[in-house]
Amino acid sequence: MSQVCRSRGCSCKATEWGHVLDEMDCELFARASHERVYEPGMNIFMQGDNCSGVYCIQSGLVGLRRSDDNGNSAMLRLSQNGDVLGYRAVIGKRQHRNTAEVLTRSRVCFIEAARLTMLLQRNPNLKEGFLQRALVDLTTTETNCAEQMTRGLQARFLHLLFRLYQNVEAQQDDREHVFDLPVQRKDIAALLGATPESISRIINRLEEQGLVRFVGRRVIFSNMGRFRAKIQIGIEAATAEA
Amino acid sequence: MSQVCRSRGCSCKATEWGHVLDEMDCELFARASHERVYEPGMNIFMQGDNCSGVYCIQSGLVGLRRSDDNGNSAMLRLSQNGDVLGYRAVIGKRQHRNTAEVLTRSRVCFIEAARLTMLLQRNPNLKEGFLQRALVDLTTTETNCAEQMTRGLQARFLHLLFRLYQNVEAQQDDREHVFDLPVQRKDIAALLGATPESISRIINRLEEQGLVRFVGRRVIFSNMGRFRAKIQIGIEAATAEA
DNA sequence: CATTGCGCTTGATGCATATCAATGTTGTTG
DNA sequence: CAACAACATTGATATGCATCAAGCGCAATG
């Protein structure tokens, strides 16, 4: 049940689809999908586009941005390894509601809408997988939204910093309490509903407090204990997401 | 396919469940559910509660509030006639993530978790209904979140006002351009991530501009044209939700 | 009737963040 | 290397909104 589909270079794990794919499905999935690499700055799809299929992120970081007609925009959430994008448009038979911006070099597995629809018909249980996925995305977005509404910029920034740190912590645990931001300042700003200038000033304040140092994109936690203490709440919510 | 289940006073329309209920299901649904009336100020369920079932709103207005450990909270969205609450907790087998606050007298139809699970097993297509529901909720929340992040308080307030107006517009179209707010100032504030004081001041500004008059909870649009013009964008997004 | 409580408003003030403009820094390309 | 573009920082200023405190209107209650 946790075998890996390999065909044309694709490597969607069965587990990524809600544990509902049997071997046959897995084979069909592999044949229905193909992989592509996106460079930073590219868009996987754009808000308003008609939907051509779903995208499963194998590696890298992708941001989902929502824009309005006035030119304002915000990045609603980050997607990474194991996340699936565009399924709402396929299943809901609508246009994409967000733009998927590639933030770091990403391997992405694509499955055509028609083929996915066929798979869904063949195996209705696959719907369960997407249902669970939708529920997780809903919870993530709700949590984000609530945080946005109730907490100040510094608290939101600290939380984001912590989440980004946790991501790499699992991968590289050699150098302690140091990591590189995978995104630019302006992306951080977009994620927090702020301006890059404000991010700069927040960083200044944090450095003055001796909480953390920034060298370009490198982040050095000078006092991890105080850092963790300052975040307090919100951690269990973040870790319970996955 | 659009018959109404009636048993023990419940009246869940089949259409509310994604058009996937046949007559048999409908009968089972009716037998599995019962109706209750909630008064303003009551909570249907609370954040952190274990889930006992799902709630289908027949009439009235319910707000979903998310709180954090610091005592801060925000109202994430409003639910009304036809909406279903608590399904995430049942399907995801988790605790409720939000508190469901009754804002106006509401008739609510309850279905026990165990029975719903049985129904889901008997008719896997029912999952499709919940999937679609989850996608709509996700879109609503995303749109809210983006608006929260990019637009100022006045714009958000105008948009909310318009949405509330649209709700009653369909029901009572006799008196033009007048309606009563179904919620208190503090609820409006919670929905907009603001304080009641700020709402008061926003109202002042709007009255000075001659856009709209407020008498207690009564809202009078003195110049509907200018009002609609001021909202501009965001309307098609709101109307496309349903 | 007086009282209490609650929702709402108003005013004074302070802080947080946006905005605009200028400069520095980095990375890229010919 | 020089030149350029994108990103990042810094400073000055303005604004939006929160906070705190007080007063008002109204309904419920003894």
Side-chain angles (χ1 to χ4, degrees), chain B residues 100-119:
Chain B
E101 291 183 5
V102 176
L103 303 177
T104 71
R105 195 163 206 275
S106 302
R107 283 190 309 117
V108 176
C109 184
F110 174 75
I111 299 171
E112 240 178 287
R115 301 202 185 194
L116 179 63
T117 305
M118 275 176 45
L119 280 172

Side-chain angles (χ1 to χ4, degrees), chain A residues 64 66 68-70 72-77 87-89 91-94 97-98 124-125 127-128 130-132 134-146 148-151 189-194 232-234 236-237 240-242, chain B residues 64 66 68-70 72-77 87-89 91-94 97-98 124-125 127-128 130-132 134-146 148-151 189-194 232-234 236-237 240-242:
Chain A
L64 290 175
R66 170 74 64 101
D68 68 14
D69 298 357
N70 301 347
N72 307 317
S73 78
M75 204 168 280
L76 295 172
R77 53 202 142 96
Y87 66 93
R88 168 172 47 185
I91 294 173
K93 297 192 179 64
R94 291 174 170 273
R97 288 220 129 85
N98 305 315
N125 277 332
K127 280 179 191 166
E128 171 78 20
F130 281 105
L131 178 50
Q132 296 292 348
L135 295 182
V136 170
D137 282 346
L138 178 58
T139 299
T140 303
T141 306
E142 277 184 0
T143 304
N144 244 319
C145 191
Q148 181 72 32
M149 292 170 78
T150 57
R151 316 190 75 177
L191 278 164
L192 301 178
Q232 290 169 335
I233 174 247
E236 84 290 346
E241 295 296 351
Chain B
L64 290 175
R66 171 73 67 100
D68 68 14
D69 299 355
N70 301 346
N72 307 318
S73 78
M75 205 168 279
L76 295 172
R77 53 201 142 95
Y87 67 92
R88 168 172 48 187
I91 295 174
K93 298 194 178 64
R94 289 171 172 275
R97 287 221 132 82
N98 305 315
N125 277 330
K127 279 179 190 165
E128 171 78 20
F130 281 105
L131 178 50
Q132 296 292 347
L135 294 182
V136 170
D137 283 346
L138 178 57
T139 299
T140 303
T141 306
E142 277 184 0
T143 303
N144 245 320
C145 190
Q148 181 73 32
M149 293 171 79
T150 56
R151 315 190 81 182
L191 278 165
L192 301 177
Q232 291 167 337
I233 174 248
E236 83 291 344
E241 294 298 350

Side-chain angles (χ1 to χ4, degrees), chain B residues 153 194-195 197-198 201:
Chain B
L153 185 53
T195 59
E197 293 97 317
S198 293
R201 295 185 222 279

Side-chain angles (χ1 to χ4, degrees), chain B residues 135-241:
Chain B
L135 294 182
V136 170
D137 283 346
L138 178 57
T139 299
T140 303
T141 306
E142 277 184 0
T143 303
N144 245 320
C145 190
E147 182 164 342
Q148 181 73 32
M149 293 171 79
T150 56
R151 315 190 81 182
L153 185 53
Q154 170 162 326
R156 298 194 320 264
F157 178 63
L158 286 173
H159 190 190
L160 174 62
L161 219 55
F162 188 67
R163 278 192 296 163
L164 292 173
Y165 174 63
Q166 280 182 314
N167 275 339
V168 297
E169 197 175 26
Q171 296 167 7
Q172 52 167 54
D173 49 358
D174 45 346
R175 289 171 310 175
E176 274 218 343
H177 301 159
V178 175
F179 81 109
D180 291 313
L181 287 173
V183 292
Q184 302 175 336
R185 300 283 193 269
K186 65 175 178 179
D187 295 323
I188 293 178
L191 278 165
L192 301 177
T195 59
E197 293 97 317
S198 293
I199 303 301
S200 264
R201 295 185 222 279
I202 291 283
I203 287 177
N204 280 344
R205 256 193 280 161
L206 290 177
E207 291 198 315
E208 286 166 11
Q209 295 176 251
L211 257 181
V212 55
R213 289 205 311 127
F214 289 79
V215 184
R217 283 197 181 184
R218 178 144 297 180
V219 181
I220 303 143
F221 294 104
S222 12
N223 191 333
M224 197 60 187
R226 268 189 35 220
F227 180 80
R228 284 179 186 263
K230 193 140 191 169
I231 299 186
Q232 291 167 337
I233 174 248
I235 295 176
E236 83 291 344
T239 52
E241 294 298 350

Side-chain angles (χ1 to χ4, degrees), chain A residues 133-200:
Chain A
R133 220 165 254 290
L135 295 182
V136 170
D137 282 346
L138 178 58
T139 299
T140 303
T141 306
E142 277 184 0
T143 304
N144 244 319
C145 191
E147 181 163 344
Q148 181 72 32
M149 292 170 78
T150 57
R151 316 190 75 177
L153 184 55
Q154 171 163 326
R156 287 176 352 243
F157 178 64
L158 285 173
H159 189 191
L160 174 62
L161 219 57
F162 187 68
R163 279 193 297 164
L164 293 172
Y165 174 63
Q166 280 183 314
N167 275 339
V168 297
E169 198 175 27
Q171 297 166 5
Q172 53 167 57
D173 49 358
D174 46 346
R175 289 171 308 174
E176 274 220 342
H177 301 158
V178 174
F179 81 110
D180 291 313
L181 288 172
V183 292
Q184 302 175 335
R185 299 285 193 269
K186 63 173 182 179
D187 294 324
I188 292 178
L191 278 164
L192 301 178
T195 59
E197 293 98 316
S198 293
I199 303 301
S200 265

